[in-house]
Amino acid sequence: GVVMPFNRDSIVALCLILASAGLMVASFDIREPDYGQLSPATWPRLVIGIISLLSIIYFVQSMRMSQNDKAAAPKRSFVEFCLYWRNVFFVFLVFSLYLLALPSLGMLVGNVLFSIVLLTALGGFRSILLHIIVAVCTSGGMWLLFTHGLEVILPRGTLVGF
């Protein structure tokens, strides 16, 4: 048979599969309340299942990658790597700042600002009005759904009060 050597992608995929398995095992420690019909572990398990499926697909694709595809991958310097992935790094930076600002701004204001910043940074300044409308409508809609429809108490900001 054909021996398919591991590459970086297959190792990352295996790590994701193992992490998903660990999260799935940990989901069985979620306490089951005496009330309600839907288990609190349902949504986490659904998300973990989706991540697991995508990780398995990633692993299979990484193992099917031919040697020609691997050889065609350009060798990059650290600076070129950072420039190539700058949007990903920016998203993680903005998300980290969002998490730090959440106690002060609250869910509604924090989500609107987070959405506007990301949409504008990734989509450009020409459509900033559209970004504001999308951010306000989606964040506001989700806030209304959770606050009034599902009666979930969302974190309020210490600076803004809602």
Side-chain angles (χ1 to χ4, degrees), residues 39-56:
S39 167
T42 301
W43 291 113
R45 288 183 187 150
L46 177 67
V47 171
I48 294 166
I50 292 169
I51 291 171
S52 300
L53 177 66
L54 293 173
S55 298
I56 291 168

Side-chain angles (χ1 to χ4, degrees), residues 3-20:
V3 177
M4 292 182 276
F6 280 87
N7 56 37
R8 283 185 293 190
D9 287 335
S10 55
I11 293 169
V12 169
L14 280 176
C15 290
L16 289 171
I17 291 168
L18 290 173
S20 297

Side-chain angles (χ1 to χ4, degrees), residues 72-148:
K75 303 291 182 212
R76 293 191 177 106
S77 69
F78 180 74
V79 173
E80 290 172 325
F81 174 83
C82 290
L83 288 174
Y84 182 79
W85 293 104
R86 69 183 173 273
N87 286 347
V88 175
F89 295 139
F90 181 76
V91 168
F92 278 105
L93 174 69
V94 171
F95 185 68
S96 299
L97 294 174
Y98 162 75
L99 292 177
L100 290 173
L102 204 53
S104 300
L105 298 177
M107 288 294 291
L108 180 60
V109 175
N111 286 350
V112 169
L113 290 176
F114 174 72
S115 299
I116 291 171
V117 169
L118 279 187
L119 287 170
T120 304
L122 300 175
F125 285 94
R126 287 184 291 169
S127 304
I128 194 161
L129 181 60
L130 178 63
H131 298 159
I132 292 170
I133 292 169
V134 167
V136 168
C137 290
T138 56
S139 298
M142 292 302 288
W143 181 81
L144 284 171
L145 173 69
F146 278 91
T147 303
H148 298 291

Side-chain angles (χ1 to χ4, degrees), residues 19-33 39-46 48-49 52:
S20 297
L23 289 171
M24 187 60 78
V25 169
S27 76
F28 289 99
D29 289 335
I30 295 174
R31 186 179 60 83
E32 295 287 336
S39 167
T42 301
W43 291 113
R45 288 183 187 150
L46 177 67
I48 294 166
S52 300

